[in-house]
Amino acid sequence: MIRIGLFGAGRIGQIHARAVSAMDKVEIVAIHDPRDEAAAYIQALTGARRATLLEIVDDPQIDAVIIASPTDQHAEQILEAAQGGKHIFCEKPIDLNLAKVRECVAAVEKAGVKMMIGFNRRFDTNFDAVKRNIKNGEVGEVELVQITSRDPSAPPLDYLKSSGGIFIDMMIHDFDMARYVLDDEIVEVFATGSVLTDPEISKIGDLDTATATLRSASGKIVTITNSRRASYGYDQRVEVHGSKGMVRANNLRGTAVTLANKQGYRSDPLLDFFMERYALAYKAELQTFCRLVAGQDEAYPNQIDGLKAMELATAAAESFKKGRAIKIGK
Amino acid sequence: MIRIGLFGAGRIGQIHARAVSAMDKVEIVAIHDPRDEAAAYIQALTGARRATLLEIVDDPQIDAVIIASPTDQHAEQILEAAQGGKHIFCEKPIDLNLAKVRECVAAVEKAGVKMMIGFNRRFDTNFDAVKRNIKNGEVGEVELVQITSRDPSAPPLDYLKSSGGIFIDMMIHDFDMARYVLDDEIVEVFATGSVLTDPEISKIGDLDTATATLRSASGKIVTITNSRRASYGYDQRVEVHGSKGMVRANNLRGTAVTLANKQGYRSDPLLDFFMERYALAYKAELQTFCRLVAGQDEAYPNQIDGLKAMELATAAAESFKKGRAIKIGK
Amino acid sequence: MIRIGLFGAGRIGQIHARAVSAMDKVEIVAIHDPRDEAAAYIQALTGARRATLLEIVDDPQIDAVIIASPTDQHAEQILEAAQGGKHIFCEKPIDLNLAKVRECVAAVEKAGVKMMIGFNRRFDTNFDAVKRNIKNGEVGEVELVQITSRDPSAPPLDYLKSSGGIFIDMMIHDFDMARYVLDDEIVEVFATGSVLTDPEISKIGDLDTATATLRSASGKIVTITNSRRASYGYDQRVEVHGSKGMVRANNLRGTAVTLANKQGYRSDPLLDFFMERYALAYKAELQTFCRLVAGQDEAYPNQIDGLKAMELATAAAESFKKGRAIKIGK
Amino acid sequence: MIRIGLFGAGRIGQIHARAVSAMDKVEIVAIHDPRDEAAAYIQALTGARRATLLEIVDDPQIDAVIIASPTDQHAEQILEAAQGGKHIFCEKPIDLNLAKVRECVAAVEKAGVKMMIGFNRRFDTNFDAVKRNIKNGEVGEVELVQITSRDPSAPPLDYLKSSGGIFIDMMIHDFDMARYVLDDEIVEVFATGSVLTDPEISKIGDLDTATATLRSASGKIVTITNSRRASYGYDQRVEVHGSKGMVRANNLRGTAVTLANKQGYRSDPLLDFFMERYALAYKAELQTFCRLVAGQDEAYPNQIDGLKAMELATAAAESFKKGRAIKIGK
């Protein structure tokens, strides 16, 4: 039996708790969240006890922690959990500050615990099939990758204020996806963006529409576009073009129904948001983490993937400010 | 708490048992199946006790039964369950013999219990959306319905021998679908068929390729085609054409991925078989039954729907033999 | 230089005249049509002289005739042209009366002239690709064919009155398509239909919605559905299912543009009608006829194809009246 | 009757000559090309006489010229034609040198002749429908545009050497497309690229894979990706995302046929190359030019569009060299 301590009883903490509840031989035994109501939901769902950070990391019965707390708590929880010898699942980003991310990665590696980062898209059937086609050689040498991510609408301004900005909060998933499909390290980032959906976003120094262009060591190119508004649902596409072919993950819809009339042929808008779109991916992700804790797998994606994506996001933000391409790893 | 007795621990019995296990306030308390191993699986899954037919129908703690046994046991189990005052969920067909079906329907109605028939496709999101588009008037007056059902491959010959033939075993779902989308009773059936996939099917007097044409009281027309072989997966489509438009439920695939190369654009074959294709429909179906037992819903589809589909299937078999259209309800 | 006499200056005569005008080494030298204005259009377009039936068939300079006159003139024109030694292109149907069709076929064969029937769909790129996939073995042994033809709206009642009814006027194309893709003769036809779009159609004894089921000598099955109303354009599909795969010709649209918004994803309705949908097919058809006249090709589809399609159409009409399947060729 | 002098009897000159041949009231009366065989083809097709540059621009019978010669001859021909008072259709780019382009534009405007640039994609039905959807308000305020252009394979190295490089030779069409759909001027360009298909392209200082990011005055963003290799055909897509919806022009294929089997569903690769893909667009473009010469239309796209696209292409090349965004119009 694997015993897990959960940090954070919010939306994403609940998703993970439900995923764990449906699995055999793993249970959430402790929940750490200052909010009584949220914590109570997890307790009712899992039978976990409520606990402080230290009670969890010091409990020798607990094998691992899931960190689904607000980003500004991640670093402390990672450092304590690593010191306590717990394996760690942590939501992205590790921290908004790149130096702090590096400190966490170092601590995890020093402690010899395993760490996995919540890049849930790697566990989506569709993106997985894209990757498999590349591995199988169907695409040949990858040349050009196009990643599109559009949210139906922006999160609340209060969330955005402490989110680190669109490159760290939203595009970080796409940076990880780029690395996932490329199998080649990024050496240069150019990014730009605008505020087109809501002037309030401008006031807090963030963007709602953004794009980045990446170059890999071997000259492969990736373009990423992000928007915080999409009238037709949650738009998540990846297209990989190579010497022998092109593979593309299209979007998912609620039904496979088409209506035809004088106006034309109409099919459903896209699945509405990330919880619906990635419902199965979240489950697969937690299953991988549990296999990892059980010693059956390598951590995937691990702390290095978390760090690299954060380096790209930070470089993108810098590129936007300076109006020029930023070299990575210098 | 709703308490259910389950008849039949085979493939479909297991599907229903797992669906019930995932629900709140309902449990399978007794399993009736002569096969030890199959019964043991259900017992382990649900904690049900093993029981005889009479032990189940006489147990005052039991509210309802799910009949997932071989077809030749349905009638006896229905008659006993009705007499015992249990609500009944029964897999299709009620019985291979139309007179027997009528006897069961009469018994159920006399006993005043509720009965629901396992026409799982009515609970599929896609066919449901087709129906909703019709109800909303998007299609106008329905004129022409095309139903396509193709299985990846034929069941074992032993199964086919006691299946009642393709019209009763396979096309019965399509007859129900026709009635579901039409909202008009069928008055005439013409059917024909062939053996094209396996000559053995001919030897047992069955068909593997079949088609039926139905006319409704108001002149609407339905064509149904069935095949026991489809190289590209489980093909299940409905297209409804009316005065204002056309609505169509297309098939489902494993991924939304496309690969393009010199040979063209390629997407996945279809989901492989009914358990995968209708996984969610089976759950929704059992939830409806549980609401029915709890008194919150009308039985849907009920014993009359079971009888009507069986009348159409029987007429189709007769039409094929006689080479002419058969009037219904005369 | 091939010299052609044209019978009929109406819509379809004009299509053929324009096709011929764009070709090298072939010209329309005479037009026979009692309507001055229509004939004048052809004269202006082609430089043809106006002529009587006999002037055309007796002119030793004329190699071939195109018969695009009303159906009730076809037989006389065919008989005269055959006697005059002219090769013949004739629009479908050869005649409404099956005995008369047989007389024409006999006359053509006796005269040793070549005859081609205007089954334009055989020259469509899409149906041609369907056929090619079958020939290449991609489909394996053909088992089941589904043909859908829906016109945007019914022709004027006056046209319908002398059209021979939906089986001869409209479904004849689908009977030919069935034979085209099957490569096997039809031995049995069942057909039925309704009047659902306009009660006036009922008064003249015709149908607007119809379906036929065909069986071939080797047990292959074809279903055809026809409607005189389709809100979303001219719907022309063929789907061929076989032991190894399925091939399908989908419809054509004006653009490849998709609009996505809250209501979903919308693409164009279908191309509006036969002249637009089959524009290129009509040209290819006439080019084949000219190669035929030049002695470079076998007639394709020839008078036998015209006769066979007519036999099926006649049997379908009889089946509808009698409510039973009709054997062919007995 | 409009009389046209044609400069250049190569591939694109022939396309225009054939387009003109099919039109009424317009003829090509003179052809200027040093290559005897190429010129002879045009003469045979159109009846044009062979002529020098000056013979054409000095001929008072000639209304307009079509410039389809190699790029390094454009400027001289434009300047002479403008001075001769001829209306001008010129293939893109006007010249490889931006100062020279400005000189040509000034000369055209001084002379008061009309000039149209061969941005053929503006005349494609699909891109036209994209534009119409934007104008109709279906997309709302445009926010993000994604343009994809992939050629099946690179032109010969000899062509590439004098082509001006990928930004001027290939991406210039996409810069014009960006301006076409945006209705807002571009103020900033960032571009990068690689050589991934053929190292020889690197030796001549060109790229085969390139991307550009544009920002408009109001903050709208455009990403363009180009590749000189696409195994699946000629890939030409535009996607425009706005506040109310998204509109997309997908690609065109040879047929609407799908083949399904164990491997999945397969449709045709894309139309092979620009002459096939834009066959109708080239005709529409020349018709517009002829209406322009007849005084019925404004030039569209005109010399300013040619200049602006060239400014963007030049800026892109500079951005790639400097690794930073380049401001436009400063």
Side-chain angles (χ1 to χ4, degrees):
Chain A
M1 179 64 75
I2 294 170
R3 289 180 189 81
I4 291 177
L6 172 63
F7 296 99
R11 192 167 57 176
I12 188 71
Q14 292 174 22
I15 289 174
H16 294 322
R18 280 193 296 266
V20 169
S21 296
M23 284 185 243
D24 288 338
K25 297 184 184 161
V26 49
E27 57 181 346
I28 290 177
V29 297
I31 168 67
H32 173 67
D33 193 298
R35 295 166 301 172
D36 291 343
E37 199 179 343
Y41 174 86
I42 299 292
Q43 290 182 275
L45 179 73
T46 64
R49 70 177 187 276
R50 203 149 166 204
T52 64
L53 166 56
L54 292 183
E55 284 165 6
I56 290 176
V57 300
D58 289 346
D59 182 344
Q61 298 289 319
I62 290 181
D63 305 291
V65 298
I66 293 174
I67 299 178
S69 53
T71 302
D72 60 5
Q73 302 175 18
H74 286 185
E76 184 191 8
Q77 291 165 355
I78 291 168
L79 294 173
E80 292 287 355
Q83 200 170 1
K86 311 303 181 205
H87 300 304
I88 300 167
F89 178 94
C90 183
E91 278 304 317
K92 60 89 218 169
I94 294 179
D95 191 88
L96 297 185
N97 179 287
L98 192 51
K100 202 85 182 169
V101 173
R102 291 200 175 107
E103 184 189 339
C104 290
V105 169
V108 162
E109 301 196 336
K110 189 178 160 208
V113 297
K114 292 173 186 170
M115 186 178 190
M116 190 172 147
I117 306 298
F119 287 128
N120 56 299
R121 294 184 196 172
R122 291 197 185 209
F123 299 91
D124 175 77
T125 316
N126 298 285
F127 299 130
D128 193 50
V130 164
K131 177 76 176 180
R132 202 169 50 244
N133 273 285
I134 297 169
K135 273 192 175 168
N136 293 349
E138 301 276 9
V139 171
E141 280 293 306
V142 171
E143 294 170 4
L144 195 51
V145 178
Q146 289 176 269
I147 303 176
T148 300
S149 297
R150 295 178 193 156
D151 288 347
S153 57
L157 276 174
D158 269 353
Y159 172 91
L160 287 181
K161 275 176 195 164
S162 57
S163 71
I166 197 168
F167 297 111
I168 289 176
D169 181 59
M170 182 172 176
M171 202 181 278
I172 196 168
H173 279 295
D174 306 300
F175 291 126
D176 184 64
M177 183 57 67
R179 294 184 63 249
Y180 178 55
V181 299
L182 270 193
D183 239 348
D184 191 10
E185 287 303 331
I186 302 302
V187 296
E188 196 180 80
V189 176
F190 174 82
T192 190
S194 290
V195 177
L196 296 168
T197 72
D198 180 1
E200 294 298 314
I201 290 175
S202 192
K203 289 184 192 160
I204 62 169
D206 203 352
L207 304 166
D208 55 23
T209 309
T211 180
T213 304
L214 319 182
R215 297 184 96 255
S216 81
S218 62
K220 296 165 171 46
I221 292 176
V222 181
T223 65
I224 300 171
T225 57
N226 277 187
S227 171
R228 291 286 196 185
R229 165 159 71 187
S231 60
Y232 51 92
Y234 187 41
D235 189 353
Q236 300 271 295
R237 284 172 282 161
V238 171
E239 176 173 322
V240 180
H241 178 246
S243 55
K244 285 177 55 186
M246 184 259 283
V247 65
R248 177 164 64 199
N250 300 305
N251 280 300
L252 304 185
R253 282 143 211 258
T255 74
V257 168
T258 307
L259 176 70
N261 59 27
K262 278 194 173 61
Q263 279 74 46
Y265 281 64
R266 197 174 77 200
S267 54
D268 282 2
L270 306 181
L271 287 185
D272 204 38
F273 207 22
F274 71 93
M275 286 186 295
E276 204 181 355
R277 171 69 174 81
Y278 290 119
L280 296 174
Y282 280 117
K283 287 183 191 172
E285 180 184 64
L286 260 287
Q287 283 163 347
T288 297
F289 181 61
C290 290
R291 282 200 306 275
L292 170 73
V293 174
Q296 297 159 7
D297 258 324
E298 282 303 293
Y300 164 77
N302 65 19
Q303 64 276 6
I304 302 301
D305 296 305
L307 170 60
K308 296 268 187 187
M310 189 61 197
E311 285 175 351
L312 295 175
T314 307
E318 186 188 349
S319 171
F320 171 59
K321 263 186 212 143
K322 298 192 174 161
R324 61 175 177 77
I326 303 296
K327 304 280 185 209
I328 302 296
K330 299 280 161 105
Chain B
M1 178 64 75
I2 295 170
R3 289 180 188 80
I4 291 178
L6 173 63
F7 297 100
R11 191 168 57 176
I12 188 73
Q14 291 173 23
I15 288 174
H16 295 322
R18 280 192 297 267
V20 169
S21 295
M23 284 185 243
D24 289 338
K25 298 184 184 162
V26 49
E27 57 181 345
I28 291 178
V29 297
I31 170 66
H32 173 68
D33 192 297
R35 295 164 301 171
D36 291 343
E37 198 179 344
Y41 173 85
I42 298 291
Q43 290 182 275
L45 179 73
T46 64
R49 68 177 188 275
R50 207 151 165 199
T52 65
L53 167 56
L54 291 184
E55 283 166 6
I56 288 176
V57 301
D58 290 346
D59 181 346
Q61 298 290 318
I62 290 181
D63 305 291
V65 299
I66 293 175
I67 299 178
S69 53
T71 301
D72 60 5
Q73 303 175 19
H74 287 186
E76 184 191 6
Q77 291 165 354
I78 291 168
L79 295 173
E80 292 288 355
Q83 201 168 1
K86 310 301 181 207
H87 300 303
I88 300 167
F89 178 94
C90 184
E91 278 304 316
K92 60 89 220 170
I94 294 177
D95 192 89
L96 297 184
N97 179 285
L98 194 50
K100 203 83 181 171
V101 174
R102 291 201 175 105
E103 185 189 338
C104 289
V105 169
V108 162
E109 300 195 337
K110 189 177 161 210
V113 297
K114 292 173 185 170
M115 185 177 192
M116 190 170 144
I117 306 298
F119 287 129
N120 56 299
R121 294 183 196 175
R122 291 197 185 209
F123 299 90
D124 174 76
T125 315
N126 297 285
F127 299 132
D128 193 51
V130 165
K131 178 75 176 179
R132 201 169 50 243
N133 273 284
I134 297 168
K135 272 192 174 168
N136 292 350
E138 301 276 9
V139 171
E141 280 295 304
V142 170
E143 295 170 4
L144 196 50
V145 178
Q146 289 176 270
I147 302 175
T148 300
S149 296
R150 296 177 193 156
D151 287 348
S153 57
L157 276 173
D158 269 354
Y159 171 91
L160 286 181
K161 276 176 195 164
S162 58
S163 72
I166 197 168
F167 297 112
I168 288 176
D169 181 58
M170 182 171 175
M171 202 181 279
I172 196 168
H173 279 294
D174 306 302
F175 291 127
D176 183 64
M177 183 57 66
R179 294 184 62 252
Y180 177 55
V181 299
L182 270 193
D183 239 348
D184 190 12
E185 286 304 331
I186 303 302
V187 297
E188 197 180 81
V189 176
F190 174 82
T192 189
S194 291
V195 177
L196 298 169
T197 72
D198 180 2
E200 294 300 313
I201 290 176
S202 193
K203 290 183 191 158
I204 62 169
D206 203 352
L207 305 166
D208 54 23
T209 310
T211 181
T213 304
L214 320 182
R215 294 184 97 257
S216 80
S218 62
K220 295 165 172 45
I221 292 176
V222 182
T223 66
I224 299 170
T225 57
N226 276 187
S227 172
R228 291 287 197 185
R229 165 159 70 187
S231 60
Y232 51 93
Y234 187 41
D235 189 353
Q236 299 271 298
R237 283 171 284 161
V238 171
E239 176 173 320
V240 180
H241 178 245
S243 55
K244 284 176 55 185
M246 183 258 282
V247 65
R248 176 163 67 197
N250 300 306
N251 280 300
L252 302 186
R253 282 145 211 255
T255 73
V257 168
T258 307
L259 177 70
N261 57 28
K262 277 195 173 62
Q263 279 74 47
Y265 281 65
R266 196 174 77 200
S267 53
D268 282 2
L270 306 182
L271 287 185
D272 204 40
F273 207 24
F274 71 91
M275 285 187 295
E276 202 181 356
R277 170 68 173 82
Y278 290 119
L280 295 174
Y282 280 117
K283 287 183 191 173
E285 181 183 64
L286 260 287
Q287 282 163 347
T288 297
F289 181 60
C290 289
R291 281 199 307 273
L292 171 73
V293 175
Q296 297 158 6
D297 258 324
E298 282 303 293
Y300 163 78
N302 65 20
Q303 63 276 7
I304 301 302
D305 295 306
L307 171 60
K308 296 268 185 186
M310 189 62 197
E311 285 175 351
L312 295 176
T314 307
E318 185 188 351
S319 171
F320 171 61
K321 264 187 214 142
K322 299 190 174 163
R324 60 172 177 80
I326 302 296
K327 304 281 186 208
I328 301 296
K330 300 278 163 108
Chain C
M1 179 64 74
I2 294 170
R3 288 180 189 81
I4 292 178
L6 173 64
F7 297 99
R11 191 168 56 175
I12 189 71
Q14 292 173 22
I15 289 175
H16 294 322
R18 280 191 298 265
V20 169
S21 296
M23 284 185 245
D24 289 338
K25 296 182 185 162
V26 49
E27 57 182 345
I28 292 178
V29 297
I31 169 67
H32 172 67
D33 192 300
R35 295 165 301 171
D36 291 343
E37 197 179 344
Y41 173 86
I42 299 292
Q43 291 182 275
L45 180 73
T46 65
R49 70 178 187 274
R50 207 150 165 200
T52 65
L53 167 57
L54 291 183
E55 283 165 6
I56 289 175
V57 302
D58 289 347
D59 181 346
Q61 299 289 317
I62 289 182
D63 306 290
V65 298
I66 293 174
I67 300 179
S69 53
T71 302
D72 61 5
Q73 302 176 19
H74 287 185
E76 183 191 9
Q77 291 165 354
I78 291 167
L79 296 172
E80 293 286 355
Q83 201 169 0
K86 311 302 181 205
H87 300 302
I88 301 166
F89 178 94
C90 183
E91 277 304 315
K92 60 89 219 171
I94 294 177
D95 191 89
L96 297 185
N97 180 286
L98 193 51
K100 202 84 183 171
V101 174
R102 292 200 174 104
E103 184 189 340
C104 290
V105 169
V108 162
E109 300 194 338
K110 190 178 161 209
V113 297
K114 293 173 185 169
M115 184 176 193
M116 190 171 144
I117 307 297
F119 287 127
N120 56 299
R121 294 183 196 174
R122 291 197 185 211
F123 299 90
D124 174 76
T125 316
N126 297 285
F127 299 132
D128 193 51
V130 165
K131 178 75 176 181
R132 200 168 52 244
N133 272 285
I134 296 168
K135 274 192 174 167
N136 292 351
E138 300 276 9
V139 170
E141 279 295 306
V142 171
E143 295 170 5
L144 195 51
V145 178
Q146 289 177 268
I147 302 175
T148 300
S149 296
R150 296 178 193 155
D151 287 348
S153 57
L157 276 173
D158 269 354
Y159 172 91
L160 286 181
K161 275 177 196 164
S162 58
S163 71
I166 195 166
F167 297 113
I168 290 176
D169 180 58
M170 181 171 177
M171 202 180 278
I172 197 168
H173 279 293
D174 306 303
F175 291 127
D176 183 64
M177 183 58 64
R179 294 184 62 252
Y180 177 55
V181 299
L182 270 192
D183 238 348
D184 190 12
E185 286 303 330
I186 302 301
V187 297
E188 196 180 81
V189 177
F190 174 82
T192 189
S194 290
V195 176
L196 297 169
T197 73
D198 180 1
E200 294 299 314
I201 290 175
S202 192
K203 289 184 192 159
I204 63 170
D206 202 352
L207 304 166
D208 55 24
T209 309
T211 180
T213 303
L214 320 182
R215 294 185 98 256
S216 81
S218 62
K220 295 167 173 43
I221 292 176
V222 181
T223 65
I224 299 169
T225 56
N226 277 186
S227 172
R228 291 286 197 185
R229 165 159 71 187
S231 60
Y232 51 93
Y234 187 41
D235 189 354
Q236 299 272 296
R237 283 172 284 160
V238 171
E239 176 173 321
V240 180
H241 179 245
S243 56
K244 284 177 56 186
M246 182 258 282
V247 66
R248 177 163 65 199
N250 300 305
N251 280 301
L252 303 186
R253 282 145 213 256
T255 73
V257 169
T258 307
L259 177 70
N261 57 27
K262 278 196 172 61
Q263 279 75 46
Y265 282 64
R266 197 174 77 200
S267 54
D268 282 3
L270 306 181
L271 287 186
D272 206 39
F273 207 24
F274 71 90
M275 286 186 295
E276 202 181 357
R277 170 70 173 81
Y278 291 119
L280 295 174
Y282 280 117
K283 287 183 191 173
E285 181 183 65
L286 260 286
Q287 282 163 348
T288 297
F289 181 61
C290 289
R291 282 200 306 273
L292 171 73
V293 174
Q296 297 159 8
D297 259 324
E298 283 303 295
Y300 163 78
N302 65 18
Q303 64 276 7
I304 301 302
D305 296 304
L307 170 60
K308 295 269 186 186
M310 189 61 196
E311 285 175 351
L312 296 176
T314 307
E318 185 187 351
S319 171
F320 171 60
K321 264 187 213 140
K322 298 191 173 161
R324 61 174 177 78
I326 303 297
K327 305 281 186 208
I328 302 295
K330 300 279 162 106
Chain D
M1 179 63 74
I2 294 170
R3 289 180 189 81
I4 291 177
L6 173 63
F7 296 99
R11 191 167 57 175
I12 188 71
Q14 291 174 22
I15 289 174
H16 294 322
R18 282 192 295 266
V20 169
S21 295
M23 285 185 244
D24 288 340
K25 298 184 184 159
V26 48
E27 57 182 344
I28 291 177
V29 296
I31 169 67
H32 173 69
D33 192 298
R35 296 165 301 172
D36 290 344
E37 197 178 343
Y41 174 85
I42 298 292
Q43 290 182 276
L45 180 73
T46 64
R49 70 178 187 276
R50 204 148 166 204
T52 65
L53 167 56
L54 291 184
E55 283 166 8
I56 290 177
V57 301
D58 290 345
D59 182 345
Q61 298 289 317
I62 290 182
D63 305 291
V65 298
I66 293 175
I67 300 177
S69 53
T71 302
D72 60 5
Q73 302 176 17
H74 286 186
E76 184 191 6
Q77 290 165 355
I78 290 168
L79 294 173
E80 292 286 356
Q83 201 169 2
K86 310 302 180 205
H87 300 302
I88 301 166
F89 177 94
C90 183
E91 278 304 316
K92 61 88 217 171
I94 294 179
D95 191 88
L96 297 184
N97 179 286
L98 192 51
K100 203 85 182 169
V101 174
R102 291 200 175 107
E103 184 190 338
C104 290
V105 170
V108 162
E109 300 196 337
K110 190 177 160 208
V113 297
K114 291 173 186 170
M115 184 178 193
M116 191 171 144
I117 306 298
F119 287 127
N120 56 299
R121 295 184 196 173
R122 291 197 185 209
F123 299 90
D124 174 76
T125 316
N126 297 285
F127 299 131
D128 194 49
V130 165
K131 177 77 177 178
R132 201 169 50 245
N133 272 284
I134 297 169
K135 272 193 176 168
N136 292 350
E138 300 277 8
V139 171
E141 280 294 305
V142 171
E143 295 169 6
L144 196 51
V145 178
Q146 290 176 267
I147 303 175
T148 300
S149 296
R150 296 178 193 155
D151 287 349
S153 57
L157 276 174
D158 269 354
Y159 172 90
L160 287 180
K161 276 177 197 163
S162 58
S163 71
I166 196 168
F167 298 112
I168 289 176
D169 181 59
M170 182 173 177
M171 202 180 277
I172 197 168
H173 279 294
D174 306 300
F175 291 126
D176 184 62
M177 183 57 67
R179 293 184 64 250
Y180 177 55
V181 299
L182 270 194
D183 238 347
D184 191 11
E185 286 303 331
I186 302 301
V187 296
E188 197 181 80
V189 177
F190 174 82
T192 190
S194 291
V195 177
L196 297 168
T197 73
D198 180 0
E200 293 299 313
I201 290 176
S202 192
K203 289 185 192 157
I204 62 168
D206 202 352
L207 305 166
D208 55 24
T209 309
T211 179
T213 304
L214 320 182
R215 296 184 96 254
S216 81
S218 62
K220 296 166 172 44
I221 292 175
V222 181
T223 65
I224 300 169
T225 57
N226 276 188
S227 171
R228 290 287 197 185
R229 164 158 71 188
S231 60
Y232 51 93
Y234 187 41
D235 189 353
Q236 299 271 297
R237 285 172 281 161
V238 171
E239 175 173 321
V240 180
H241 178 246
S243 56
K244 285 177 57 186
M246 185 258 282
V247 65
R248 178 164 63 200
N250 300 304
N251 280 300
L252 304 185
R253 282 143 213 258
T255 74
V257 168
T258 306
L259 176 71
N261 59 27
K262 278 194 173 62
Q263 279 73 46
Y265 282 64
R266 198 174 76 200
S267 54
D268 282 3
L270 306 182
L271 287 185
D272 205 39
F273 207 23
F274 71 92
M275 287 186 295
E276 204 180 356
R277 170 68 174 84
Y278 291 119
L280 295 175
Y282 280 117
K283 288 184 191 172
E285 181 184 63
L286 261 287
Q287 282 162 348
T288 296
F289 181 61
C290 290
R291 281 201 305 274
L292 171 73
V293 174
Q296 296 159 10
D297 259 323
E298 283 303 294
Y300 163 79
N302 65 19
Q303 63 276 8
I304 300 301
D305 296 306
L307 170 60
K308 296 267 186 186
M310 189 60 196
E311 285 175 350
L312 295 176
T314 307
E318 184 187 350
S319 170
F320 171 60
K321 264 187 212 143
K322 298 191 173 163
R324 61 174 178 80
I326 302 297
K327 304 281 185 209
I328 302 295
K330 299 280 161 106

